[in-house]
Amino acid sequence: MPRSFLVKKYFAKQKPNYSELEYQNDSLLERFPLAELSSADSTCFTAGLVWDLSVLPTLYLPASQSEPSATSVPLDLSSPSSLSSNASSSGEEDEGRTSDPPSPEPVHTYAPRQRMKCTGVMAHVSPPEEEEEGERETPATAARPAFLCKHCPKEYTSLGALKMHIRSHTLPCVCTTCGKAFSRPWLLRGHIRTHTGERPFSCPHCNRAFADRSNLRAHLQTHAEVKKYQCGVCSRTFSRMSLLQKHSSSGCCSTSV
DNA sequence: CTGGGGACGGGGCCC
DNA sequence: CGGGCCCCGTCCCCA
């Protein structure tokens, strides 16, 4: 599992009680077919947006658990450090989100590479062997062609990419309603929809509306006769990769894929 | 148990 | 270079 999704677990059970806010904006639900809410959206949400840039610097240091890194997630959760707690005031839910455990096998991949200076995040993930830091400090200064994240072992080929990645650690976009923090404004915007109940993306087939375009896309698969993901053994198709995987690993194809 | 929906995250691309 | 948006993908929960 490449992403920090795993981390979500912790708050999966304590989701904010969206139901309360839900539908406040029922009117909005009018469901505009795939409306681009971009502007409209931002307009109404801006109110809810909080660009807590000021926290950035602060967050940097602790960097701590904002990034449990792939598999080690559980570890982190157990030790919620300080940082995020303030960062997002929500301490409750957000610290879990993180940024980027690279691809599969994060542990293996990461452990050895950890060269970040910032203790915290990766620290628990792997043994403290990364003394090899001497190099990194600042990506730019590093002799390496890559820009290294000081919060995690990730490295990028461009400063812009690194900066964007760093946001996943600093989570500058904070929801004023629940305090949850996000790395990007549009993520926050999407999150805010969970509070407002706005669902700008509607299915042309059944008119069902969704707050998230990706979810609509997934939903559209359910209308398709032939789903996107097909079992190589029985040819059965599924709307989601996860369903195909479940299918594969639990029966049809005795071979786990 | 399976399918579907909800909520998110990250990389990449475009402006 | 930065912001915004899209696409793809994943996890969790529920019916």
Coordinates of all heavy atoms in Angstrom, one line a residue, chain A residues 3 97-99 154 156 182 184 191 215 219 236 240, chain B residues 1-13:
Chain A
R3 N 0.2 4.3 -0.2 CA 0.0 5.6 0.5 C -0.2 5.5 2.0 O -0.2 4.5 2.6 CB -1.2 6.2 -0.1 CG -0.6 6.7 -1.3 CD -1.4 7.4 -2.2 NE -0.7 7.6 -3.3 CZ -1.2 7.6 -4.5 NH1 -2.4 7.5 -4.5 NH2 -0.5 7.9 -5.5
R97 N -3.1 11.4 8.5 CA -2.8 11.6 7.1 C -1.4 11.8 6.9 O -0.7 12.4 7.7 CB -3.6 12.7 6.5 CG -2.8 13.7 6.2 CD -3.6 14.8 6.1 NE -4.6 15.1 7.0 CZ -4.9 14.4 8.0 NH1 -4.4 13.4 8.1 NH2 -5.7 14.7 8.8
T98 N -0.9 11.4 5.9 CA 0.5 11.7 5.7 C 0.7 11.9 4.3 O -0.1 12.4 3.6 CB 1.1 10.4 6.0 OG1 0.6 9.6 5.0 CG2 0.7 10.0 7.2
S99 N 1.8 11.5 3.9 CA 2.1 11.9 2.5 C 2.4 10.8 1.7 O 1.7 10.3 0.9 CB 3.2 12.8 2.6 OG 4.1 12.3 3.4
K154 N 11.9 10.8 0.9 CA 11.5 11.0 -0.5 C 12.5 12.0 -1.1 O 12.9 12.9 -0.5 CB 10.1 11.5 -0.6 CG 9.1 10.4 -0.7 CD 8.1 10.7 -1.7 CE 7.4 9.5 -2.2 NZ 6.6 9.7 -3.3
Y156 N 13.1 14.3 -4.9 CA 12.4 14.7 -6.1 C 13.5 15.3 -7.0 O 14.5 15.8 -6.6 CB 11.3 15.7 -5.8 CG 10.2 15.1 -5.1 CD1 10.3 14.9 -3.7 CD2 9.1 14.6 -5.7 CE1 9.3 14.3 -3.0 CE2 8.1 14.0 -5.0 CZ 8.2 13.8 -3.6 OH 7.2 13.2 -2.9
F182 N -5.2 19.6 5.4 CA -4.9 18.9 4.1 C -3.7 19.6 3.5 O -3.3 20.7 3.8 CB -6.1 19.0 3.2 CG -7.3 18.3 3.7 CD1 -8.1 19.0 4.6 CD2 -7.5 17.0 3.4 CE1 -9.2 18.3 5.2 CE2 -8.6 16.4 3.9 CZ -9.5 17.0 4.8
R184 N -3.4 20.2 0.2 CA -3.7 21.0 -0.9 C -5.1 21.6 -0.7 O -6.0 21.0 -0.2 CB -3.7 20.3 -2.2 CG -2.3 19.6 -2.4 CD -2.3 19.0 -3.7 NE -1.2 18.0 -3.8 CZ -1.0 17.3 -4.9 NH1 -1.7 17.5 -5.9 NH2 0.0 16.4 -4.9
H191 N -13.1 18.1 1.0 CA -13.4 17.8 2.4 C -14.6 18.6 2.9 O -15.5 18.1 3.5 CB -12.2 17.9 3.3 CG -12.6 17.9 4.7 ND1 -12.9 16.8 5.4 CD2 -12.7 19.0 5.6 CE1 -13.2 17.1 6.7 NE2 -13.1 18.4 6.8
N215 N -15.3 9.5 -7.2 CA -16.3 8.6 -6.8 C -17.4 8.5 -7.8 O -18.0 7.4 -8.0 CB -16.9 9.1 -5.5 CG -16.0 9.0 -4.3 OD1 -15.0 8.2 -4.4 ND2 -16.2 9.8 -3.3
H219 N -18.5 5.2 -9.7 CA -19.9 4.9 -9.8 C -20.3 4.6 -11.2 O -21.1 3.7 -11.5 CB -20.7 6.1 -9.3 CG -22.2 6.0 -9.6 ND1 -23.1 5.2 -8.9 CD2 -22.9 6.6 -10.6 CE1 -24.3 5.3 -9.5 NE2 -24.2 6.1 -10.5
R236 N -14.7 -12.3 -15.4 CA -15.7 -11.5 -14.7 C -15.1 -10.1 -14.5 O -13.9 -9.9 -14.3 CB -16.0 -12.0 -13.3 CG -17.1 -11.3 -12.6 CD -17.4 -12.0 -11.3 NE -18.4 -11.3 -10.6 CZ -18.8 -11.6 -9.4 NH1 -18.4 -12.7 -8.8 NH2 -19.7 -10.9 -8.7
R240 N -14.1 -1.9 -9.6 CA -12.9 -1.4 -8.9 C -11.8 -2.5 -8.8 O -12.1 -3.7 -8.6 CB -13.3 -1.0 -7.4 CG -14.4 0.0 -7.4 CD -14.7 0.4 -6.1 NE -15.7 1.5 -6.0 CZ -15.8 2.4 -5.1 NH1 -14.9 2.4 -4.1 NH2 -16.7 3.3 -5.2
Chain B
dC1 P -16.3 -14.1 4.6 OP1 -15.2 -15.1 4.3 OP2 -16.0 -12.9 5.4 O5' -17.1 -13.7 3.3 C5' -17.7 -14.8 2.5 C4' -18.2 -14.2 1.2 O4' -19.4 -13.3 1.5 C3' -17.2 -13.3 0.5 O3' -17.3 -13.4 -0.9 C2' -17.6 -11.9 0.9 C1' -19.1 -12.0 1.1 N1 -19.7 -11.1 2.2 C2 -20.8 -10.4 1.8 O2 -21.3 -10.5 0.7 N3 -21.3 -9.6 2.8 C4 -20.8 -9.5 4.0 N4 -21.3 -8.7 4.9 C5 -19.6 -10.2 4.3 C6 -19.1 -11.0 3.4
dT2 P -16.3 -12.6 -1.7 OP1 -15.9 -13.4 -2.9 OP2 -15.3 -11.9 -0.9 O5' -17.4 -11.5 -2.3 C5' -18.6 -12.0 -2.8 C4' -19.4 -10.8 -3.4 O4' -20.0 -10.1 -2.4 C3' -18.5 -9.9 -4.2 O3' -19.2 -9.5 -5.4 C2' -18.3 -8.7 -3.3 C1' -19.6 -8.7 -2.5 N1 -19.5 -8.2 -1.1 C2 -20.4 -7.3 -0.6 O2 -21.4 -6.9 -1.3 N3 -20.3 -6.9 0.7 C4 -19.2 -7.2 1.5 O4 -19.2 -6.8 2.7 C5 -18.2 -8.1 1.0 C7 -17.1 -8.5 1.8 C6 -18.4 -8.5 -0.3
dG3 P -18.6 -8.5 -6.4 OP1 -18.9 -9.0 -7.8 OP2 -17.2 -8.3 -6.0 O5' -19.4 -7.2 -6.1 C5' -20.8 -7.3 -6.1 C4' -21.4 -6.0 -5.9 O4' -21.3 -5.6 -4.5 C3' -20.8 -4.9 -6.7 O3' -21.8 -4.0 -7.2 C2' -19.9 -4.2 -5.7 C1' -20.6 -4.4 -4.4 N9 -19.7 -4.5 -3.2 C8 -18.5 -5.2 -3.1 N7 -18.0 -5.1 -1.9 C5 -18.9 -4.3 -1.2 C6 -18.8 -3.9 0.2 O6 -18.0 -4.1 1.0 N1 -19.9 -3.1 0.5 C2 -20.9 -2.7 -0.4 N2 -21.8 -1.9 0.1 N3 -21.0 -3.1 -1.6 C4 -19.9 -3.9 -2.0
dG4 P -21.3 -2.8 -8.0 OP1 -22.4 -2.6 -9.1 OP2 -19.9 -2.9 -8.4 O5' -21.5 -1.6 -7.0 C5' -22.7 -1.6 -6.2 C4' -22.6 -0.4 -5.3 O4' -21.8 -0.7 -4.1 C3' -22.0 0.9 -5.9 O3' -22.8 2.0 -5.5 C2' -20.6 1.0 -5.3 C1' -20.8 0.3 -3.9 N9 -19.6 -0.3 -3.3 C8 -18.7 -1.1 -4.0 N7 -17.8 -1.5 -3.2 C5 -18.1 -0.9 -1.9 C6 -17.4 -0.9 -0.7 O6 -16.3 -1.5 -0.4 N1 -18.0 -0.2 0.3 C2 -19.2 0.5 0.1 N2 -19.7 1.2 1.1 N3 -19.8 0.6 -1.1 C4 -19.2 -0.2 -2.0
dG5 P -22.5 3.4 -6.1 OP1 -23.7 3.9 -6.7 OP2 -21.3 3.3 -6.9 O5' -22.2 4.2 -4.8 C5' -23.1 4.1 -3.7 C4' -22.5 4.8 -2.5 O4' -21.4 4.0 -2.0 C3' -21.9 6.2 -2.8 O3' -22.3 7.0 -1.7 C2' -20.4 6.0 -2.8 C1' -20.2 4.8 -1.8 N9 -19.1 4.0 -2.1 C8 -18.7 3.3 -3.3 N7 -17.6 2.6 -3.2 C5 -17.2 2.8 -1.8 C6 -16.1 2.2 -1.1 O6 -15.2 1.5 -1.5 N1 -16.1 2.7 0.2 C2 -17.0 3.5 0.8 N2 -16.9 3.8 2.1 N3 -18.1 4.0 0.1 C4 -18.1 3.6 -1.2
dG6 P -21.9 8.5 -1.8 OP1 -23.0 9.3 -1.2 OP2 -21.3 8.9 -3.1 O5' -20.7 8.6 -0.7 C5' -20.9 8.2 0.6 C4' -19.7 8.5 1.5 O4' -18.7 7.5 1.2 C3' -19.1 9.9 1.2 O3' -18.8 10.4 2.5 C2' -17.9 9.6 0.4 C1' -17.5 8.2 0.9 N9 -16.8 7.4 -0.1 C8 -17.2 7.2 -1.4 N7 -16.3 6.4 -2.1 C5 -15.4 6.0 -1.1 C6 -14.3 5.2 -1.2 O6 -13.9 4.5 -2.2 N1 -13.6 5.1 0.0 C2 -13.9 5.8 1.1 N2 -13.1 5.6 2.2 N3 -15.0 6.6 1.2 C4 -15.7 6.6 0.1
dA7 P -18.2 11.9 2.5 OP1 -18.7 12.5 3.8 OP2 -18.4 12.6 1.2 O5' -16.6 11.6 2.6 C5' -16.2 10.8 3.7 C4' -14.7 10.7 3.7 O4' -14.2 9.8 2.7 C3' -14.0 12.0 3.4 O3' -12.9 12.2 4.2 C2' -13.5 11.9 1.9 C1' -13.3 10.4 1.9 N9 -13.3 9.8 0.5 C8 -14.3 10.0 -0.5 N7 -14.1 9.3 -1.6 C5 -12.9 8.6 -1.3 C6 -12.2 7.6 -2.0 N6 -12.5 7.3 -3.3 N1 -11.2 7.0 -1.4 C2 -10.9 7.3 -0.2 N3 -11.5 8.2 0.6 C4 -12.5 8.8 0.0
dC8 P -12.3 13.6 4.5 OP1 -12.1 13.8 5.9 OP2 -13.1 14.6 3.7 O5' -10.9 13.5 3.8 C5' -10.8 12.6 2.7 C4' -9.5 11.9 2.8 O4' -9.5 10.9 1.8 C3' -8.3 12.9 2.3 O3' -7.1 12.5 3.0 C2' -8.2 12.6 0.8 C1' -8.7 11.2 0.7 N1 -9.5 10.9 -0.5 C2 -9.1 9.9 -1.4 O2 -8.1 9.2 -1.1 N3 -9.7 9.8 -2.6 C4 -10.8 10.6 -2.9 N4 -11.4 10.4 -4.0 C5 -11.2 11.6 -2.0 C6 -10.6 11.7 -0.8
dG9 P -5.9 13.6 3.0 OP1 -5.3 13.6 4.3 OP2 -6.4 14.8 2.3 O5' -5.0 12.8 1.9 C5' -4.5 11.5 2.3 C4' -3.5 11.1 1.2 O4' -4.2 10.6 0.1 C3' -2.6 12.2 0.8 O3' -1.3 11.8 0.7 C2' -3.2 12.6 -0.6 C1' -3.8 11.3 -1.1 N9 -5.0 11.5 -1.9 C8 -6.1 12.2 -1.6 N7 -7.0 12.2 -2.6 C5 -6.4 11.4 -3.5 C6 -6.9 11.1 -4.8 O6 -8.0 11.4 -5.3 N1 -6.1 10.2 -5.5 C2 -4.9 9.8 -5.0 N2 -4.2 9.0 -5.8 N3 -4.4 10.1 -3.8 C4 -5.2 11.0 -3.2
dG10 P -0.2 12.8 0.4 OP1 1.0 12.6 1.3 OP2 -0.8 14.2 0.3 O5' 0.2 12.4 -1.1 C5' 0.5 11.1 -1.4 C4' 0.9 10.9 -2.8 O4' -0.3 10.9 -3.7 C3' 1.8 12.0 -3.3 O3' 2.8 11.5 -4.2 C2' 0.8 12.9 -4.1 C1' -0.2 12.0 -4.6 N9 -1.6 12.5 -4.8 C8 -2.2 13.3 -3.9 N7 -3.4 13.7 -4.3 C5 -3.5 13.1 -5.5 C6 -4.6 13.2 -6.5 O6 -5.7 13.7 -6.4 N1 -4.3 12.4 -7.6 C2 -3.1 11.7 -7.8 N2 -3.0 11.1 -9.0 N3 -2.1 11.7 -7.0 C4 -2.4 12.4 -5.8
dG11 P 3.9 12.4 -4.7 OP1 5.2 11.8 -4.3 OP2 3.6 13.8 -4.4 O5' 3.7 12.3 -6.3 C5' 3.6 10.9 -6.8 C4' 3.2 11.0 -8.3 O4' 1.8 11.5 -8.4 C3' 4.1 12.0 -9.0 O3' 4.4 11.5 -10.3 C2' 3.2 13.3 -9.1 C1' 1.8 12.7 -9.1 N9 0.8 13.6 -8.5 C8 0.8 14.2 -7.3 N7 -0.2 14.9 -7.0 C5 -1.0 14.7 -8.1 C6 -2.3 15.2 -8.4 O6 -3.0 16.0 -7.7 N1 -2.8 14.8 -9.6 C2 -2.1 14.0 -10.5 N2 -2.8 13.7 -11.6 N3 -0.9 13.5 -10.3 C4 -0.5 13.9 -9.1
dG12 P 5.2 12.3 -11.3 OP1 6.0 11.4 -12.1 OP2 5.9 13.4 -10.6 O5' 4.1 13.0 -12.2 C5' 3.1 12.1 -12.8 C4' 2.2 12.9 -13.8 O4' 1.2 13.6 -13.1 C3' 3.0 13.9 -14.6 O3' 2.6 13.9 -15.9 C2' 2.8 15.2 -13.9 C1' 1.4 15.0 -13.4 N9 1.1 15.8 -12.1 C8 1.9 15.9 -11.0 N7 1.3 16.6 -10.1 C5 0.1 17.0 -10.6 C6 -1.0 17.8 -10.0 O6 -1.0 18.3 -8.9 N1 -2.1 17.9 -10.9 C2 -2.1 17.3 -12.1 N2 -3.3 17.5 -12.8 N3 -1.2 16.6 -12.7 C4 -0.1 16.5 -11.8
dC13 P 3.3 14.8 -17.0 OP1 3.5 14.0 -18.2 OP2 4.4 15.6 -16.3 O5' 2.1 15.8 -17.3 C5' 0.7 15.3 -17.4 C4' -0.2 16.5 -17.6 O4' -0.6 17.1 -16.4 C3' 0.4 17.6 -18.5 O3' -0.5 18.0 -19.4 C2' 0.8 18.7 -17.5 C1' -0.2 18.5 -16.4 N1 0.2 18.8 -15.1 C2 -0.7 19.6 -14.3 O2 -1.8 19.9 -14.7 N3 -0.2 20.0 -13.0 C4 1.0 19.6 -12.6 N4 1.3 20.0 -11.3 C5 1.8 18.8 -13.4 C6 1.4 18.5 -14.6

